[in-house]
Amino acid sequence: QVQVVESGGGLVQAGGSLRLSCVASERFFRYYAMGWFRQAPGKEREFVAAIRWILDDTYYSDSVKGRFTISRDNTKTTLYLQMNNLKPDDTAIYYCAALLRVGQLQNPPEYNIWGRGTQVTVSS
């Protein structure tokens, strides 16, 4: 079974940067899209960013647009999320997920494969 594993989380001060990575156990090329989601304590899991593999286009939530960048490497096994100008409201567990078929990129139940998440904490 395909697995994805996130890394790169940590503690950072407001205004700082982190880069998250998501490594898959197989190449992503057969997937429709990959996405990043986050969940803060007491809140629902929310969409952060997504990339459609064949079209290579990207989508962002309004709360991170202009600060976060989703990208992939050419080997199609690693997904990244570059996070700049971090804010305390960005504090959450960040999850990488794979969407195998055409679906709504912003909707968590559409995704088929999930990692265990990596904690991002932004101090004020």
Side-chain angles (χ1 to χ4, degrees):
Q1 184 175 355
V2 176
Q3 294 181 331
V4 293
V5 179
E6 307 92 337
S7 64
L11 173 64
V12 64
Q13 288 188 332
S17 298
L18 284 174
R19 188 174 80 157
L20 305 183
S21 299
C22 172
V23 178
S25 58
E26 67 173 30
R27 295 177 68 181
F28 293 143
F29 69 92
R30 69 184 184 92
Y31 301 170
Y32 172 67
M34 295 288 296
W36 287 98
F37 292 79
R38 66 187 182 187
Q39 188 166 16
K43 295 187 177 181
E44 292 186 354
R45 192 166 298 187
E46 66 172 357
F47 170 77
V48 175
I51 183 169
R52 291 196 295 182
W53 228 241
I54 294 177
L55 297 175
D56 197 20
D57 53 356
T58 56
Y59 298 83
Y60 298 92
S61 68
D62 289 341
S63 62
V64 307
K65 196 174 296 182
R67 300 188 296 123
F68 291 10
T69 303
I70 188 172
S71 64
R72 63 185 185 188
D73 75 340
N74 290 334
T75 65
K76 298 182 175 65
T77 58
T78 306
L79 180 74
Y80 301 103
L81 184 69
Q82 177 67 42
M83 305 186 296
N84 298 327
N85 191 21
L86 283 160
K87 304 175 181 180
D89 285 347
D90 295 318
T91 295
I93 299 175
Y94 283 71
Y95 298 91
C96 170
L99 179 58
L100 303 186
R101 302 284 188 267
V102 173
Q104 296 181 4
L105 298 178
Q106 296 87 350
N107 189 20
E110 298 271 352
Y111 286 72
N112 310 96
I113 300 168
W114 290 85
R116 293 191 174 187
T118 184
Q119 177 71 48
V120 172
T121 303
V122 184
S123 62
S124 57

